[in-house]
Amino acid sequence: MRNLCKNFIFILGIICIMAGIFGLSYTYHIDHRTAESLSAYCRIDFQSSFTETGKLEGAVLSIWDFRYDGAKLLPQAVLYTDGDAWEMNAAVKQISPQEREEAQDPETSAVNAEHPYQYENKLFVEMPRSSLPAIKKAETVRFRFYYDNGQTIDLPLNEPDLEYWKAQLIEKS
């Protein structure tokens, strides 16, 4: 009987260790995932604004990145257009899974269902006006942002996203 109890505790301990290793490796893999483009890594939204006469006024980029760890976005970003760098200050916000759950906002209910245990990290940046003509002419555009745990995300736009950005910047005169 005593041997059976020891074996049971040993097997239970091994199972707990294996489950912990699997859980840690899974969450690490999600938080340190690789992607070939910015939109494959996170959700992005690029919007332009125009004056009443149809002249291009500016553009903003919003990013939503969901992670299991509590690493926070740093309020800085860099846009690269064919190698030229445009450093920017960003507005950032992190919402924990508990905060989203407590809000019970109909707008976030789909987010809660899709990412119930992840932190929602938002980055909002206004593109420098001088970068807009460079984006329109660029063959490649990359965007870089940073987390406070030392992780740097530096990814290019894929071809459809780059074409969308360029179309958003066409003046409506």
Side-chain angles (χ1 to χ4, degrees):
M1 180 68 171
R2 187 177 180 129
N3 247 357
L4 185 63
C5 186
K6 280 184 181 181
N7 287 343
F8 176 74
I9 291 174
F10 177 76
I11 291 171
L12 183 62
I14 295 294
I15 290 171
C16 288
I17 290 170
M18 296 302 288
I21 290 171
F22 173 76
L24 285 175
S25 65
Y26 175 76
T27 58
Y28 182 85
H29 172 73
I30 295 298
D31 290 347
H32 296 83
R33 60 199 176 274
T34 58
E36 293 182 13
S37 69
L38 186 61
S39 61
Y41 183 84
C42 58
R43 197 171 101 206
I44 64 173
D45 183 32
F46 183 80
Q47 297 289 320
S48 57
S49 61
F50 297 88
T51 63
E52 291 177 6
T53 60
K55 186 167 174 67
L56 182 61
E57 187 174 50
V60 294
L61 173 65
S62 303
I63 290 180
W64 292 266
D65 186 19
F66 295 90
R67 309 168 65 83
Y68 286 102
D69 71 7
K72 294 183 179 183
L73 282 167
L74 295 177
Q76 56 194 24
V78 182
L79 174 75
Y80 296 97
T81 58
D82 292 336
D84 295 330
W86 310 89
E87 294 186 18
M88 301 168 278
N89 291 324
V92 295
K93 182 178 182 180
Q94 183 181 70
I95 303 171
S96 71
Q98 296 83 12
E99 290 171 328
R100 281 198 325 265
E101 188 66 35
E102 289 170 5
Q104 300 252 333
D105 185 4
E107 182 179 308
T108 62
S109 62
V111 172
N112 287 341
E114 191 174 336
H115 305 280
Y117 305 110
Q118 293 176 313
Y119 290 84
E120 179 180 358
N121 294 286
K122 297 178 183 181
L123 180 138
F124 178 82
V125 66
E126 186 174 342
M127 298 295 187
R129 285 187 185 174
S130 56
S131 72
L132 301 180
I135 293 171
K136 285 195 268 189
K137 297 175 189 171
E139 290 183 33
T140 60
V141 172
R142 296 182 70 80
F143 192 76
R144 177 185 289 177
F145 56 99
Y146 310 90
Y147 278 94
D148 66 359
N149 66 356
Q151 187 178 13
T152 299
I153 310 302
D154 184 356
L155 292 167
L157 292 180
N158 59 28
E159 190 63 33
D161 288 336
L162 180 57
E163 292 305 315
Y164 175 79
W165 283 30
K166 288 179 178 183
Q168 286 288 309
L169 299 175
I170 295 174
E171 297 195 8
K172 302 179 187 321
S173 337

